[in-house]
Amino acid sequence: MPRITEFTLFATDLPFRKPFKHAAAVRATSDSLFLKCTTDTGAVGFGECLPRDYVSGESRAETFKLLKEAILPHLLGREFAGLDELKDFLANCDGKAPPDWVSPKRPQTAAWCAVDLALLDVFGKAEKQRVWLNDMRHWPARLRYSPVISSDAGLKKLLLIRLLRFPQVKIKVEKGRAATQTRRVRRVLGKGCGLRVDANMAWTAEEALTELPALASLGVTSCEQPVAASDLPGLARLVRESRVGIMVDESLNDRDSLDRLIRDKACTAVNVRISKCGGLVASHQRCREALAAGLTVQIGCQVGESSLLSAAHLTLVTAVTEVTYAEGCFGRLLLGEDPAEPVLQFRPGGKPPAVPVHPGLGVTVEEEILKRYAGEICTLR
């Protein structure tokens, strides 16, 4: 029975090829945490998360400390008979550490994502099995990845998206410029391309109701997180009064937040991102709960994910299958250097890369790349 003997944390800033801008932040690096897990059998696995204050209430420094001091010491020496026992443990945790380790009220879903992925990866490799969430192993036939257009995207990028015939795109819009930005994108991409927008909490409900009619007239079908994450009454009002679908992102990170959104009828769609929702197992549960409530599901990503998280993303989509939109697998389209191999990057038209078939999550992480861009490293034995 494999036993966990060591963890290493890496606070790593993978450089972007070009800065990415939206209403909530401008980023030139990934601001990531990677977690290496080793067992007494010699198996090595990796997890990854991208903590964001404005998404799950977690900074990278706080997440690093939480893992180092409150979570990982409880897992050192832990044994799991195999993947099935591990999945049961992760399902019971439901995206957070056990409550006698960390208070459930403390923001921690990004931290637990790193744990979830590292444990799945290492025990999958120990058993020489690929991590699957169910028996479904095929990408939904018509689903395509959507490129995400930064608020300062140039004409060259828009023309390339049109040339590569992406069926859907998402636009990061800014306060006071949403209609202008969207009109420009529509003009370049043409009428056949589906458009969604992401406001990243830029508006009040009143402002959103002023902005959304113009966006609807341009063919926008969905607006992601138009108001503050905590403004459920505002979201519910937009659901009632707007012709555009209302998707939540920052409002959703755990079971309780999804339950509130469903109870208050505060959205028509959810953006489930593995890094903010407590890992692969919990994200699968959130997708199933959202679908059962009649909500549209988008499986998204954090800006700056490596191909390690992309491998988990592919696993989640193939397990859920009833996915309307997918965002992720940017690989070296965004990152200057991706520490995971194979690099998982969507193809022209948004076609997905092949789902990895190797043990664990299916990729190999180059530790030297993590060290090269790491600002802090900590090993626990």
Side-chain angles (χ1 to χ4, degrees):
M1 185 179 294
R3 179 171 56 86
I4 299 169
T5 58
E6 182 178 291
F7 288 108
T8 302
L9 275 165
F10 303 84
T12 299
D13 293 297
L14 300 171
F16 291 176
R17 294 170 62 89
K18 182 181 178 181
F20 190 89
K21 180 182 179 183
H22 58 72
V26 179
R27 297 194 178 280
T29 64
S30 64
D31 199 24
S32 308
L33 273 179
F34 286 84
L35 176 63
K36 177 185 176 184
C37 180
T38 306
T39 70
D40 60 352
T41 62
V44 175
F46 283 86
E48 175 186 3
C49 69
L50 296 90
R52 303 286 188 256
D53 280 318
Y54 59 89
V55 175
S56 64
E58 300 163 86
S59 70
R60 186 171 69 177
E62 290 168 343
T63 302
F64 194 103
K65 183 178 180 181
L66 181 67
L67 287 166
K68 176 184 174 182
E69 297 180 0
I71 295 178
L72 299 182
H74 286 281
L75 288 165
L76 281 171
R78 185 76 183 251
E79 296 179 342
F80 292 97
L83 273 174
D84 288 341
E85 183 179 312
L86 172 61
K87 288 178 186 177
D88 288 342
F89 168 74
L90 293 172
N92 288 331
C93 290
D94 200 21
K96 294 183 178 181
D100 55 336
W101 300 3
V102 180
S103 168
K105 295 181 180 180
R106 181 169 179 177
Q108 58 183 285
T109 49
W112 194 253
C113 172
V115 172
D116 170 280
L117 296 185
L119 294 182
L120 289 170
D121 195 36
V122 75
F123 280 90
K125 288 174 177 173
E127 288 195 352
K128 296 181 172 54
Q129 290 187 31
R130 177 71 170 92
V131 172
W132 298 108
L133 293 176
N134 62 9
D135 292 332
M136 182 66 190
R137 302 188 182 186
H138 301 288
W139 184 267
R142 296 184 180 180
L143 184 63
R144 295 292 181 265
Y145 276 107
S146 304
V148 180
I149 301 173
S150 174
S151 60
D152 58 354
L155 179 61
K156 183 178 178 180
K157 180 173 183 178
L158 294 177
L159 289 171
L160 181 61
I161 289 171
R162 176 162 183 163
L163 178 66
L164 295 177
R165 297 185 178 182
F166 285 93
Q168 282 274 346
V169 301
K170 185 171 82 176
I171 312 163
K172 294 281 191 176
V173 294
E174 295 182 355
K175 190 171 185 175
R177 298 184 58 227
T180 300
Q181 289 174 288
T182 304
R183 190 174 294 110
R184 174 173 173 264
V185 172
R186 174 60 78 199
R187 187 165 56 246
V188 176
L189 298 188
K191 295 180 179 180
C193 184
L195 298 184
R196 311 189 305 281
V197 300
D198 184 356
N200 284 105
M201 306 178 289
W203 302 320
T204 64
E206 288 289 346
E207 290 168 337
L209 286 169
T210 300
E211 297 274 6
L212 289 176
L215 298 178
S217 71
L218 292 167
V220 170
T221 57
S222 172
C223 180
E224 187 174 322
Q225 204 62 56
V227 300
S230 60
D231 187 7
L232 268 61
L235 287 166
R237 181 183 176 191
L238 295 179
V239 169
R240 293 192 304 270
E241 299 182 21
S242 172
R243 292 189 292 129
V244 174
I246 302 301
M247 182 181 294
V248 292
D249 181 10
E250 288 86 350
S251 296
L252 166 66
N253 54 63
D254 61 10
R255 180 184 295 275
D256 289 343
S257 60
L258 180 56
D259 287 346
R260 288 191 295 270
L261 289 162
I262 293 169
R263 179 198 65 206
D264 293 353
K265 298 180 180 179
C267 62
T268 61
V270 294
N271 185 14
V272 176
R273 298 193 276 178
I274 295 170
S275 180
K276 66 155 184 171
C277 288
L280 186 54
V281 173
S283 294
H284 183 251
Q285 293 174 320
R286 299 295 85 78
C287 289
R288 285 294 169 207
E289 291 155 8
L291 288 167
L295 301 177
T296 296
V297 168
Q298 170 176 292
I299 297 181
C301 71
Q302 303 284 111
V303 176
E305 290 183 1
S306 81
S307 289
L308 175 62
L309 258 167
S310 293
H313 186 282
L314 289 165
T315 302
L316 181 59
V317 174
T318 57
V320 176
T321 70
E322 300 163 81
V323 179
T324 302
Y325 307 114
E327 296 171 358
C329 288
F330 286 96
R332 294 195 186 119
L333 292 171
L334 178 63
L335 296 176
E337 196 163 10
D338 192 327
E341 288 287 344
V343 173
L344 300 175
Q345 186 171 300
F346 61 71
R347 295 174 289 156
K351 294 179 181 178
V355 178
V357 296
H358 301 297
L361 292 173
V363 298
T364 301
V365 174
E366 179 54 62
E367 192 171 340
E368 289 305 311
I369 295 177
L370 300 184
K371 291 178 179 177
R372 188 182 311 151
Y373 297 110
E376 186 176 3
I377 300 174
C378 175
T379 297
L380 293 84
R381 296 184 177 90

